[in-house]
Amino acid sequence: MPASPPHDPTLLAGGAAGSRALGPLVETVLAALAEGAAARCGPLPGGGPDGVARRVADRGTPVLPEQGQGAHDALRELVGVLAEGAADPADPHCAAHLHCPPLAVATAADLAASALNPSMDSWDQAPAASALEERVTAGIGALVHPDGTAPDALVTTGGTESNLLGVLLAREAHGPRVRLVCGAAAHHSVHRAAWLLGLPEPLVVPTPQGVLDPAAVDEALTRLDALECPAPDRPSPAVVVATAGTTDTGAVDPLAALADVVAAHRHRRPVTLHVDAAYGGPLLFSDRHRPRVAGIERADSVTLDLHKLGWQPVAAGLLTVPDRSALAPLGHRADYLNADDDTEAGLPDLLGRSIRTTRRPDILKIAVTLRALGRHGLGALVDAVCATAEEFADLIEAEPRLRLRARPGISTVLFRPHGATDAQVATIRRRLLHEGQAVLGRARVPDPATGRPVLWLKATLLNPHAHSSDLHGLLKLVLDQHDLPADLRPQDPPR
Ligand SMILES: Cc1ncc(COP(=O)(O)O)c(C=O)c1O
C-alpha cells in the first residue's frame, strides 16, 4: 500500500471538518480491508489459534508505544491484521453461526453513527437520533404486532439482552414467583435470564419432535400449581417462552397454537407469552415465508435480531411489544438525564428505553437498511437464503456418502458423513477451521433414525449471494477430509 500523507491523529470525526478528516482515513481502512481479505484468501485464516495469535503479536505490537506511530500506520497495521485474521461471513464457506455478512449500506450508516456519536440515554445527546428511533421502533413493532394497541420496540445488543428484557417484563407483571416454561431447545440466554433475575429454575418441556408441543405446554402449566403447592386462590404465574428459529436446527414452534394455550390458561393464572424470534423474526419480511411465524403477533413480547437474518453489523437487537405501556416498568429516573422538570417541559425521556445508559444509535443502520431495501428487498434476501438452504439439503440428499438430518429449518442444514463417529465429525470441523478452508458449526441433537443425540455438522446459510458452486465446494471440502476412507473421495463439483 503506498504511504499516505501524514494525518493529525487528534482531528475529530464530527463537525463540518469531520468528513475532511475522515476521508483519507477511510481510504486507508478500505485498502487495508481489501488487502487483508486478499491475503487471507478464504473464509478464515489458516494455522489455528496459535498462527493467528503470532500474526497479531507481530503486527499488533507495541500496544502503547511511547510515541504514536500515526493514524495511517495504526489503521493499516491493525485493520490489516484483523481483516487478514477474520472469520469473514461474506465468504460462502463461513457458515457456522447466526453470524451474518453485513450489508455495505448498513455498514456505511454505522460509520455515520460513529462519527456523530449520539448517545441514546438522553435527548440532549441525541436529538434527531432519538426521534428517528421513536419512529422506526414503532414501525418495527407494527410489523410484528399489526393489531397491537400501540406497538413499540426497544433496541438491544441482541437476543440475549432482548430475552432478559422479555423475562424482566414478565417478572414485573407477575412477581418474583413467575416460572418460565420453555422447550428443551430454548436458547441458553433464557435460562441465564431466569438466573440473573432470581427466578425459579425454568420448567423445561421435552421436545422430541424438535418443537414445543402445545398439549405438553398445557400440561406443564397445569402441573405448575402442584409443583409449587401454592394456596388454591394463588395459582402459579408463568411465562411461556417459545422459539421461532432454534439455534441448532432453525425449528419454529407452533406459535398460534401456543398462543391459544396461553390464552386458555389466562382464565386461571397470570401467564404471558414471550417469543424468542431472534433468528426467525425476519421471516416476516417475506411474503413467502411469513406464514411460518403466524401467531407471533399474539405474543406479549418478541425477541428479534437484525444482526442474524437482517444483514446488520453487530449490534442490532430488538424487543417488540404490542402495547408500549408494557414497557412502563423499565422507567427510571436520574436527575442529570431525565429530571422531572425537563420531562414536564417536553424533553423526551429516553432512560426507560433500555437497561443500559450510554447507548449507540444502532437504529440508524437499521433505518437506512429498511429504507434502502424496503420490505420486498429484505424479503427477497430472506427468500434467497432459505432457497440456498433447500438447495444445499438437496445436494446432501443426492450424495450417497452424506446423511441429511432433516429438511432445512429456515436456513440451517444439519448433516454428517455416513458411518462417521461423533469424534470424526468433530475432527472434520476442526480441521476445516485449522486449515482455513471452512467455518461449519456443530449441533448435538437427536438422530431421527434412533432418537439418540449425535453430533452433526451445521451449516447456517446466511449469504444471499452464495452460488451452487459454493455449496458443491463446501461439501467437497467435508468429503475430502483425510479421516474419511479414500473410496469416499468426491468428484469435482460441476462449475
Ligand atoms: C434463538 C436465539 N436466541 C437468542 C440468541 C442470542 O442472541 P445474541 O447472540 O445476539 O445475544 C441466539 C444466538 O444465536 C439465538 O440463536
Side-chain angles (χ1 to χ4, degrees):
M1 196 189 298
S4 311
H7 188 281
D8 176 357
T10 69
L11 290 178
L12 303 180
S19 354
R20 276 202 302 284
L22 267 176
L25 299 181
V26 169
E27 279 175 29
T28 298
V29 166
L30 296 180
L33 286 175
E35 284 178 21
R40 171 174 21 91
C41 168
L44 84 164
D50 291 346
V52 172
R54 259 196 313 277
R55 286 192 290 275
V56 171
D58 282 353
R59 291 181 72 183
T61 313
V63 172
L64 179 61
E66 283 300 311
Q67 300 297 332
Q69 290 174 213
H72 287 291
D73 182 75
L75 285 168
R76 203 178 291 123
E77 285 300 308
L78 293 173
V79 174
V81 75
L82 219 67
E84 189 177 338
D88 185 355
D91 186 302
H93 289 177
C94 184
H97 299 284
L98 286 161
H99 170 210
C100 71
L103 295 170
V105 64
T107 310
D110 226 12
L111 173 67
S114 289
L116 295 165
N117 210 26
S119 182
M120 307 300 289
D121 45 330
S122 63
W123 186 86
D124 57 358
Q125 299 174 87
S130 57
L132 183 70
E133 185 178 276
E134 190 183 333
R135 295 190 74 77
V136 177
T137 50
I140 293 171
L143 174 77
V144 181
H145 310 278
D147 305 324
T149 321
D152 201 356
L154 299 180
V155 180
T156 71
T157 50
T160 302
E161 186 184 333
S162 299
N163 283 339
L164 177 66
L165 279 169
V167 175
L168 175 61
L169 293 180
R171 187 195 70 181
E172 292 305 293
H174 306 317
R177 287 170 56 238
V178 67
R179 175 85 74 150
L180 274 66
V181 175
C182 65
H187 191 256
H188 68 82
S189 60
V190 170
H191 295 263
R192 202 189 272 199
W195 167 73
L196 276 167
L197 296 169
L199 303 182
E201 281 274 304
L203 186 64
V204 177
V205 178
T207 50
Q209 303 308 317
V211 290
L212 271 173
D213 171 7
V217 171
D218 182 31
E219 196 260 334
L221 286 170
T222 306
R223 204 150 40 92
L224 272 187
D225 296 336
L227 271 182
E228 299 216 340
C229 313
D233 56 336
R234 286 181 63 219
S236 304
V239 50
V240 173
V241 179
T243 310
T246 59
T247 317
D248 279 343
T249 68
V252 179
D253 287 334
L255 303 180
L258 289 167
D260 287 344
V261 169
V262 169
H265 273 265
R266 274 199 180 126
H267 297 303
R268 50 183 309 264
R269 78 178 70 250
V271 54
T272 42
L273 175 64
H274 172 74
V275 175
D276 177 356
Y279 180 13
L283 295 176
L284 286 168
F285 292 126
S286 158
D287 288 335
R288 174 180 301 192
H289 293 291
R290 63 181 304 146
R292 295 165 77 173
V293 288
I296 195 171
E297 68 284 354
R298 294 168 63 191
D300 299 281
S301 54
V302 173
T303 288
L304 175 70
D305 267 2
L306 295 178
H307 60 224
K308 294 183 170 44
L309 206 55
W311 298 280
Q312 297 299 296
V314 174
L318 294 151
L319 177 87
T320 69
V321 290
D323 182 352
R324 68 172 55 100
S325 67
L327 304 174
L330 301 176
H332 192 72
R333 289 274 156 203
D335 195 66
Y336 77 108
L337 293 172
N338 60 352
D340 286 339
D341 54 312
D342 273 351
T343 306
E344 275 157 30
L347 290 188
D349 170 4
L350 308 184
L351 202 51
R353 295 195 60 83
S354 180
I355 47 173
R356 290 173 284 155
T357 306
T358 299
R359 185 159 68 80
R360 275 175 65 82
D362 288 316
I363 202 64
L364 177 60
K365 63 195 171 197
I366 296 174
V368 167
T369 303
L370 298 181
R371 177 79 79 90
L373 279 86
R375 190 174 68 76
H376 287 296
L378 279 160
L381 296 185
V382 169
D383 293 351
V385 295
C386 292
T388 298
E390 291 292 339
E391 182 182 355
F392 194 57
D394 290 344
L395 293 178
I396 294 166
E397 273 186 329
E399 168 51 73
R401 291 157 292 181
L402 294 174
R403 279 187 64 205
L404 177 70
R405 179 177 180 271
R407 296 305 301 177
I410 309 182
S411 66
T412 299
V413 182
L414 301 191
F415 65 107
R416 51 188 266 145
H418 265 297
T421 62
D422 283 1
Q424 283 169 327
V425 171
T427 303
I428 289 172
R429 174 178 168 274
R430 277 194 297 273
R431 274 203 192 144
L432 291 171
L433 282 179
H434 197 273
E435 291 167 7
Q437 292 185 311
V439 193
L440 282 172
R442 52 182 279 161
R444 187 174 295 284
V445 289
D447 181 339
T450 63
R452 270 191 319 109
V454 293
L455 195 63
W456 302 86
L457 293 169
K458 176 172 80 164
T460 312
L461 298 157
L462 294 180
N463 187 325
H465 304 301
H467 295 293
S468 298
S469 57
D470 300 315
L471 306 180
H472 281 284
L474 192 51
L475 292 184
K476 181 175 186 306
L477 286 170
V478 169
L479 288 164
D480 268 350
Q481 282 307 301
H482 304 287
D483 52 351
L484 289 177
D487 59 341
L488 293 188
R489 295 281 146 80
Q491 307 298 310
D492 277 337
R495 282 266 143 205

